[in-house]
Amino acid sequence: MRVNFFKKFNLFCHTALSVGWFLALRQIKRSNKWTTILIIFIMTLTFLNLVVVNGILVGLVEGSSRAYRQQYSGDFIIKELENKTFVPDTVQIVEVLKNYPEVQAVSPRILIGGRVEANYRNKTNQVDQNDQVTAQITGIDYLAEDEVSNLSKLVIKGKYFDGNDEGSILIGTNLLENYSTGVPGADTLSNIDVGDKVRIIINGTVREFVIKGLIKSKINEVGRRVFMTNSQLRKIIGRPDLNVNEISVKLNSGIDPLTIKQSLEAKGFQNQSLLQTWEESQGKFFQDISNTFSVLSSVIGFIGLTVASITIFIVIFINAVTRRKFIGILKGIGVCSSAIQISYIFLSLFYALVGSAIGLVLLYLFFKPYLDANPIDFPFSDGILVAPLADTLLRVGLLLVITILTGFIPSRMIVRKNTLDSILGR
């Protein structure tokens, strides 16, 4: 008895699906092509609204996070503890890191606060406020630093260090009025460019330097720093030892920075310095902003999805109403209501699938490659498009589910009408 029931049920489902598919295909072929194109266009825009808006908002933070890693922290960074003025045993730590096969490059940096003064030569009185800024003076091994952060590629004017750098510095453009993004409250130097001379004052010691190049970065740890060779900075601050304040480490591709951290901790270096992966060094700021933008994009996507759902509902409803007499005839000749409802579900799925397919092609063949090559120039980051395939397919699935519901509900409303009333148009 139970076997017969399942056989009948399977036969019913197969028949309903077959008839529903036939009716949907017939309706698509005979529908107005411009109406079909318009509906597919709406579904494509809905898909892009769900994916691209979210991807760009998240990409704002992701772009800044990537730049932080590539231009400043590397994959792993070692800093001085709050109660220390440098990283003890720097030489030993650097040697240990260089012996790891996973480590590609190591860049030790000396950091100290100082003041930069400009336009002082023709002034007998005190330097004006807009002709001086406080900055982080950074001493680097320019070859090692370039291996870790590609600092030479950030030089937008002038030249990078080349070994003949006595009396020369590189200065971040965020310190210069002509190049900065105009962040409120940020001090900048006016009328300063490559080849000009500036004074650097550190702990009362004054030295004059020529600006050799300008470093452009939206990461403040780079864009608001003054770079000189570590030998020059050691002379100014009178530090004969080789200890530094910061060590940035670049690892080979695919290496988990956490493994390096655990290895250094096992050697006891965490007692004398702060060991951080690139994610840990960024703190919660980037993650909190990313979560906020994700919520915002979800709200925008929900609104777009609602509009698309209403559109599909209206299209299917009007279609069913105008074909009410035809639906009545189908029911009258023995076509089951389920097959008619399934035909409208197939119709709505057709719109959603074709629209999503076009959206996927546009997303991964045009938008994402273009924005990866040409990031959006925002004041605080170079925005990219973040669109992981798994997340994208999840949003496609959500769009299909909503589409099925908006195709089923109006068709059910019409199919449930009395067959004779439908045929007679009452």
Side-chain angles (χ1 to χ4, degrees):
M1 184 73 178
R2 182 175 297 179
V3 174
N4 290 333
F5 170 77
F6 281 114
K7 282 184 177 179
K8 290 180 180 180
F9 179 75
N10 289 334
L11 180 61
F12 170 79
C13 291
H14 181 267
T15 303
L17 287 172
S18 299
V19 174
W21 172 257
F22 171 78
L23 293 174
L25 192 60
R26 181 184 177 88
Q27 194 169 166
I28 291 170
K29 288 180 177 179
R30 295 195 171 189
S31 62
N32 185 287
K33 67 176 182 178
W34 295 112
T35 303
T36 302
I37 291 172
L38 178 60
I39 297 171
I40 291 173
F41 179 67
I42 292 172
M43 297 307 296
T44 302
L45 291 181
T46 302
F47 169 83
L48 293 176
N49 183 56
L50 281 173
V51 177
V52 174
V53 172
N54 175 77
I56 290 178
L57 288 176
V58 174
L60 282 175
V61 184
E62 182 67 21
S64 184
S65 178
R66 288 186 186 182
Y68 183 95
R69 181 181 186 179
Q70 294 168 355
Q71 301 173 13
Y72 167 63
S73 70
D75 300 302
F76 187 79
I77 191 167
I78 303 171
K79 299 179 180 179
E80 61 188 28
L81 295 173
E82 291 185 1
N83 59 345
K84 302 285 186 180
T85 57
F86 54 84
V87 176
D89 302 322
T90 293
V91 175
Q92 183 182 355
I93 293 175
V94 170
E95 286 301 316
V96 169
L97 287 170
K98 287 183 177 180
N99 287 329
Y100 285 136
E102 300 90 345
V103 173
Q104 183 173 336
V106 180
S107 176
R109 302 168 183 151
I110 305 172
L111 306 177
I112 192 165
R115 191 167 77 250
V116 184
E117 293 184 349
N119 305 316
Y120 52 85
R121 291 202 158 205
N122 298 324
K123 296 181 180 179
T124 56
N125 298 325
Q126 189 175 2
V127 177
D128 295 339
Q129 189 65 35
N130 62 341
D131 287 330
Q132 57 181 321
V133 296
T134 57
Q136 189 84 282
I137 313 301
T138 307
I140 59 172
D141 177 335
Y142 69 93
L143 294 176
E145 181 65 35
D146 197 35
E147 286 187 69
V148 172
S149 64
N150 293 316
L151 191 63
S152 64
K153 294 183 179 179
L154 301 180
V155 177
I156 61 166
K157 194 173 184 180
K159 296 180 179 179
Y160 188 62
F161 293 135
D162 54 14
N164 301 311
D165 308 304
E166 189 67 30
S168 299
I169 60 170
L170 304 175
I171 188 167
T173 56
N174 291 354
L175 293 171
L176 306 180
E177 183 180 332
N178 294 341
Y179 296 91
S180 69
T181 55
V183 178
D187 294 331
T188 55
L189 298 172
S190 59
N191 303 317
I192 290 296
D193 216 320
V194 171
D196 292 334
K197 292 186 176 182
V198 295
R199 278 195 310 222
I200 293 181
I201 304 171
I202 302 173
N203 297 331
T205 302
V206 182
R207 293 287 189 277
E208 189 174 67
F209 290 88
V210 175
I211 298 176
K212 186 170 186 174
L214 305 182
I215 301 290
K216 183 174 179 60
S217 173
K218 294 175 182 178
I219 305 301
N220 269 341
E221 286 81 357
V222 180
R224 287 193 67 83
R225 283 187 175 182
V226 174
F227 296 89
M228 64 177 67
T229 58
N230 49 21
S231 58
Q232 290 188 100
L233 187 53
R234 288 185 194 280
K235 291 177 184 177
I236 296 176
I237 64 178
R239 180 184 289 181
D241 58 64
L242 298 178
N243 290 321
V244 298
N245 305 86
E246 196 173 81
I247 304 172
S248 182
V249 184
K250 184 177 182 180
L251 305 178
N252 293 323
S253 178
I255 302 300
D256 186 357
L258 196 58
T259 60
I260 302 299
K261 178 180 180 180
Q262 292 170 346
S263 179
L264 292 177
E265 287 176 342
K267 298 180 184 298
F269 289 124
Q270 80 278 9
N271 299 322
Q272 298 295 324
S273 53
L274 181 62
L275 311 177
Q276 293 180 316
T277 65
W278 66 273
E279 290 176 305
E280 292 171 342
S281 68
Q282 291 180 8
K284 291 186 62 179
F285 173 76
F286 286 105
Q287 187 61 47
D288 290 343
I289 294 296
S290 180
N291 292 338
T292 300
F293 281 167
S294 293
V295 172
L296 180 60
S297 66
S298 296
V299 172
I300 297 172
F302 175 77
I303 294 173
L305 192 60
T306 302
V307 172
S309 301
I310 294 173
T311 302
I312 293 295
F313 182 92
I314 292 173
V315 168
I316 298 298
F317 184 77
I318 292 175
N319 184 293
V321 168
T322 56
R323 294 168 59 87
R324 184 180 170 191
K325 185 175 181 178
F326 177 72
I327 291 172
I329 294 172
L330 288 175
K331 290 171 64 181
I333 63 176
V335 177
C336 66
S337 300
S338 299
I340 299 172
Q341 293 174 30
I342 289 172
S343 72
Y344 282 101
I345 291 174
F346 279 142
L347 183 62
S348 57
L349 272 176
F350 167 77
Y351 296 139
L353 285 172
V354 175
S356 298
I358 295 173
L360 285 169
V361 171
L362 292 174
L363 176 64
Y364 288 110
L365 293 186
F366 295 98
F367 292 141
K368 196 172 190 312
Y370 178 79
L371 290 177
D372 285 345
N374 305 278
I376 303 173
D377 187 15
F378 291 101
F380 62 91
S381 77
D382 291 325
I384 57 177
L385 177 59
V386 177
L389 183 59
D391 290 350
T392 302
L393 293 178
L394 180 63
R395 292 173 185 272
V396 170
L398 176 62
L399 183 61
L400 293 179
V401 170
I402 296 298
T403 303
I404 289 173
L405 290 175
T406 52
F408 171 76
I409 294 174
S411 62
R412 181 172 175 77
M413 291 170 58
I414 299 302
V415 169
R416 291 181 65 183
K417 297 290 185 180
N418 181 273
T419 301
L420 188 57
D421 289 341
S422 296
I423 295 174
L424 298 176
R426 293 189 302 203

